Amino acid sequence: QVQLMESGGGLVQAGGSMRLSCAASGSIFSINTMGWYRQARGEQRELVAAITSGGSTNYADSVKGRFTISRDNGKNTVYLEMNSLKPEDTAVYYCNADVPRVAGLINRYWGQGTQVTVSS
């Protein structure tokens, strides 16, 4: 099985920065796309950023230019650098990893989530 361990969440003032990390462990030979999602209170989960194994990225319009996603394939770890944080960034952030299995199947794994709170 695969487990994702998130770290780096907490409380930060508006305009500040924070880095989230997520390390995948377990039976992993490789990982396809890794990403970050978030769910604010009373809202639906939304994609924040994603990155392929080759390093191609995409971002939600709301975070483009402020957040940067990166990964270390050797460590099976994905990062999210968050700058110029706004109160509307407050949410539970979840990392995910798409892990190829046998027979061409791909399993999507999720972290437990980490709370990010941005005070005004």
Side-chain angles (χ1 to χ4, degrees), residues 68-85:
T68 302
I69 188 171
S70 61
R71 65 188 285 172
D72 185 327
N73 291 332
K75 297 180 179 179
N76 290 329
T77 299
V78 63
Y79 307 93
L80 186 68
E81 291 281 351
M82 303 184 292
N83 300 309
S84 301
L85 283 162

Side-chain angles (χ1 to χ4, degrees), residues 5-60:
M5 180 176 293
E6 300 157 334
S7 62
L11 176 65
V12 64
Q13 291 190 129
S17 299
M18 181 177 290
R19 188 185 78 155
L20 305 182
S21 300
C22 177
S25 61
S27 182
I28 302 172
F29 180 75
S30 63
I31 303 176
N32 293 343
T33 299
M34 304 184 78
W36 290 93
Y37 292 73
R38 69 186 181 188
Q39 185 168 18
R41 293 157 188 78
E43 303 291 336
Q44 298 186 64
R45 185 187 65 180
E46 65 175 351
L47 173 69
V48 177
I51 182 168
T52 69
S53 61
S56 297
T57 61
N58 68 282
Y59 298 89

Side-chain angles (χ1 to χ4, degrees), residues 100-119:
R101 316 303 288 185
V102 296
L105 300 177
I106 299 176
N107 287 346
R108 171 163 283 192
Y109 296 92
W110 295 91
Q112 287 292 314
T114 184
Q115 176 70 44
V116 173
T117 302
V118 184
S119 61

